[in-house]
Amino acid sequence: MTLPAEIAAVAFTNKALIYDLLFRTASETMMTIAADPKHLGARIGITAVLHIWGSAMTHHPHVHMIVPGGGIATDGSRWISSRPAFLLPVRVLGVLFRRLFLTRLIALHAAGKLAFFGKLEELADPRRRPSSRPFRLCA
């Protein structure tokens, strides 16, 4: 799951807060959608790795996740395999991830926990809100 450039710029000077938020939100998104019986109906395991640079060697924070092709039924009785083509629907993941991440980012901003420098100094104004441009989910 990838942060858009506007939020990546905020992450550059707020690494601990934003990267923690990225990990927590990405994993919660995956586990929530996987547990939903409409999608997989299982508890999944995740190994996640933070990459902060893209292939062009620019600041491009994103999380790669390794997830098994299924999970343990929520009652613990059996293994549930994912569909052959994909584990979980990307659009559904994106909607939940954006909502959770932006809600929590706005809360950090409102609490005055984010630092802004240079071109981003105007964002220190509590009346400003983070960008709502869609996030891109890595496939």
Side-chain angles (χ1 to χ4, degrees), residues 29-93:
T29 298
M30 292 292 291
M31 290 187 292
T32 299
I33 300 303
D36 186 335
K38 292 186 298 185
H39 300 293
L40 185 62
R43 291 187 318 243
I44 59 171
I46 298 171
T47 298
V49 177
L50 174 68
H51 284 186
I52 56 172
W53 301 101
S55 58
M57 295 309 291
T58 57
H59 187 244
H60 179 72
H62 57 285
V63 172
H64 290 267
M65 295 181 145
I66 301 168
V67 183
I72 303 295
T74 54
D75 66 3
S77 65
R78 63 192 168 89
W79 175 262
I80 299 175
S81 292
S82 66
R83 297 177 187 160
F86 64 93
L87 178 66
L88 299 168
V90 173
R91 285 190 176 142
V92 174
L93 291 169

Side-chain angles (χ1 to χ4, degrees), residues 4-15 18 59 105 109 114-131:
E6 296 86 354
I7 295 176
V10 173
F12 196 77
T13 56
N14 296 278
K15 291 175 179 70
I18 302 299
H59 187 244
L105 182 63
H109 185 264
L114 300 174
F116 301 98
F117 303 97
K119 295 177 184 178
L120 300 178
E121 257 182 309
E122 67 182 25
L123 295 177
D125 181 347
R127 294 171 293 186
R128 301 278 306 198
R129 292 289 180 237
S131 171

